[in-house]
Amino acid sequence: MNSCPWLPIMVELKIWLAVVIYMRLHPTRKSTEYWHQDGFTPIHLPTCYISLFHFQQIHCFFHVSMPLKSQEKKVSKNWYYKVKPLSTLLHTACKKYYIPAMNIAIDEIMVSFQGRSSYTLKVPNKLIGKRYQIFSICDAGYTIY
């Protein structure tokens, strides 16, 4: 088996996370279009900071999990335990730096889902049959939480 040596990638991981946020704010049809420079499409910022191959490698192998074995017992109670540390970090930062405007809205988001989960809703007469139902706070056209 031909393997590469492990290298610390903390800076690249921060750039990757920033590019993922950028991609959500500026959606395109395919993720490769952010690195495509043919003169007909706009030049996006990710090309200045990370290559497409490097982005795809981090995206493919990035996994968030709890390092403690004691957390495995709580899987049935907290099904989101693997992303809880990252979620808590983002939640704390948002509470610290975000100041909401006067007019905010609570919106219902339906996210399509094709796998197995006991937390999905099934509505037969809707376009998205099996889905997650998420409530979010929206402000100035952006989903906040």
Side-chain angles (χ1 to χ4, degrees):
M1 182 170 141
N2 190 6
S3 64
C4 298
W6 172 257
L7 298 172
I9 60 161
M10 188 52 99
V11 174
E12 289 87 355
L13 195 58
K14 289 178 183 177
I15 292 171
W16 176 83
L17 185 59
V19 169
V20 170
I21 293 169
Y22 179 87
M23 291 168 92
R24 294 295 293 169
L25 293 175
H26 303 282
T28 62
R29 287 179 280 138
K30 296 187 295 185
S31 62
T32 56
E33 288 182 8
Y34 293 100
W35 286 270
H36 197 245
Q37 296 177 356
D38 60 356
F40 298 110
T41 58
I43 298 174
H44 292 281
L45 291 176
T47 60
C48 302
Y49 298 100
I50 192 169
S51 68
L52 175 60
F53 178 75
H54 203 165
F55 176 82
Q56 289 174 336
Q57 287 291 306
I58 294 174
H59 186 73
C60 180
F61 295 109
F62 181 68
H63 180 75
V64 178
S65 65
M66 293 294 268
L68 303 174
K69 293 289 183 186
S70 62
Q71 293 294 329
E72 291 178 8
K73 296 175 185 174
K74 299 179 183 179
V75 172
S76 60
K77 188 175 180 182
N78 295 328
W79 55 274
Y80 54 88
Y81 76 99
K82 287 187 177 183
V83 294
K84 185 70 174 168
L86 183 61
S87 173
T88 305
L89 180 69
L90 290 173
H91 181 72
T92 306
C94 287
K95 283 173 64 175
K96 183 177 179 182
Y97 296 112
Y98 176 72
I99 301 171
M102 272 308 259
N103 301 322
I104 60 172
I106 297 176
D107 195 14
E108 178 185 33
I109 301 172
M110 298 298 188
V111 180
S112 177
F113 182 74
Q114 300 298 323
R116 293 185 204 166
S117 177
S118 60
Y119 300 99
T120 58
L121 295 174
K122 188 168 185 176
V123 181
N125 296 333
K126 294 288 185 174
L127 183 62
I128 303 174
K130 194 172 180 184
R131 65 199 178 192
Y132 285 113
Q133 181 179 19
I134 303 168
F135 291 98
S136 65
I137 297 174
C138 303
D139 181 22
Y142 293 100
T143 300
I144 299 164
Y145 185 68

